[in-house]
């Protein structure tokens, strides 16, 4: 499922595609802005979105074998909640 499919599925429940598009965009933009600012977004039963620091490291160029210094960076991280994990594992309907 991609973003367009998600909007279509939500518009079936809301009855209006424009409202569904605005709702999906608002949720995604809010999660992205909150995580980018360093806060975490916890949605009970679904999961937690947070900002994680990736340390600087030395990598290898696979073609030449030369060492490459990769600088430290921040990456988004998602941890699934217990209810989501149970649903994926078929333990919950």
């Amino acid at each position: 499922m991609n973003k367009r499919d998600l909007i279509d599925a939500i518009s079936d429940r809301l009855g209006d595609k424009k409202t569904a598009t605005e709702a999906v965009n608002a949720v995604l933009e809010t999660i992205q802005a909150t995580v980018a600012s360093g806060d975490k977004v916890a949605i009970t039963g679904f999961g937690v979105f947070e900002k994680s620091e990736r340390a600087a490291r030395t990598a290898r160029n696979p073609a030449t074998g030369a060492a490459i210094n990769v600088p430290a960076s921040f990456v988004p991280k998602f941890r699934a909640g217990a209810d989501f994990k149970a649903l994926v594992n078929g333990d919950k309907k």
Side-chain angles (χ1 to χ4, degrees), residues 52-59 69-75:
S52 179
E53 186 172 4
R54 186 174 285 170
R57 63 192 188 282
T58 302
N69 292 324
V70 179
S73 63
F74 292 98
V75 294

Side-chain angles (χ1 to χ4, degrees), residues 69-86:
N69 292 324
V70 179
S73 63
F74 292 98
V75 294
K77 185 170 135 186
F78 174 75
R79 289 182 290 130
D83 291 345
F84 190 14
K85 288 179 188 177

Side-chain angles (χ1 to χ4, degrees), residues 22-67:
E22 290 174 8
V24 169
N25 287 336
V27 169
L28 295 177
E29 289 169 6
T30 303
I31 290 172
Q32 289 172 346
T34 303
V35 171
S37 71
D39 293 333
K40 70 179 177 180
V41 177
I43 303 171
T44 305
F46 183 71
V48 178
F49 297 90
E50 58 191 339
K51 185 177 184 178
S52 179
E53 186 172 4
R54 186 174 285 170
R57 63 192 188 282
T58 302
R60 296 264 174 216
N61 180 332
T64 64

